[in-house]
Amino acid sequence: MVKKIDHIGIAVKSIEEASKFYEDVLGQKVAGIETLSSENLKTAFVKIGDVEIELLEATSPDSPVAKFIEKKGEGIHHIAFKVDDIEASLEKLKSKGIRLIDEIPKLGAEGSKIAFAHPKSTNGVLLELCQK
């Protein structure tokens, strides 16, 4: 079902400010800045080897990322696993009793199909399935 870790989502107050760390300190290029209006979110990616870091900035105070930062502060928001067939993967999770946030995939950054599993079913980690 899972092919690899696709990316790790990091909630930040400002992609512009967070980019300074990744570019100036780590020497990595931040690219692919995209606004997802339907999610009240702005994203950017930093490629490190085979895995990407996805920077997540809220564009509205009532977005899930804004609420996450308000409750927990900036930091790791989710881990995304690459899958070949997101619909089949969701069915498998559901059949194993995993609580899903998204039972039907939605459109994510970079045109990916995405869906989330609830952290209460995954040892406290918000898991994203991602099909590119």
Side-chain angles (χ1 to χ4, degrees):
M1 181 174 98
V2 172
K3 298 298 177 190
K4 70 172 196 156
I5 293 176
D6 186 75
H7 66 269
I8 299 168
I10 309 287
V12 298
K13 292 178 183 174
S14 165
I15 287 175
E16 184 179 327
E17 286 301 311
S19 293
K20 292 175 186 174
F21 170 75
Y22 290 95
E23 292 181 346
D24 298 344
V25 177
L26 299 181
Q28 303 297 313
K29 179 74 175 145
V30 175
I33 296 174
E34 182 178 350
T35 300
L36 299 173
S37 299
S38 64
E39 301 298 318
N40 295 316
L41 185 65
K42 193 161 80 169
T43 69
F45 287 90
V46 182
K47 187 152 180 77
I48 301 175
D50 289 339
V51 178
E52 290 183 304
I53 301 295
E54 179 185 30
L55 302 177
L56 307 161
E57 177 186 329
T59 58
S60 168
D62 63 343
S63 77
V65 170
K67 291 175 183 175
F68 177 91
I69 290 173
E70 183 179 308
K71 184 176 178 181
K72 298 183 179 186
E74 294 179 296
I76 294 177
H77 180 264
H78 68 271
I79 297 175
F81 294 115
K82 181 179 179 181
V83 297
D84 287 333
D85 185 339
I86 195 167
E87 287 85 359
S89 298
L90 287 169
E91 283 303 314
K92 183 172 184 176
L93 290 175
K94 192 173 178 180
S95 76
K96 300 285 186 181
I98 301 300
R99 182 174 162 193
L100 301 176
I101 294 172
D102 304 300
E103 293 197 17
I104 299 171
K106 56 188 176 182
L107 186 62
E110 300 182 322
S112 297
K113 289 167 67 173
I114 64 167
F116 288 90
H118 200 285
K120 288 187 178 180
S121 292
T122 57
N123 303 98
V125 177
L126 180 61
L127 294 182
E128 177 183 3
L129 299 180
C130 179
Q131 180 184 337
K132 294 188 176 180

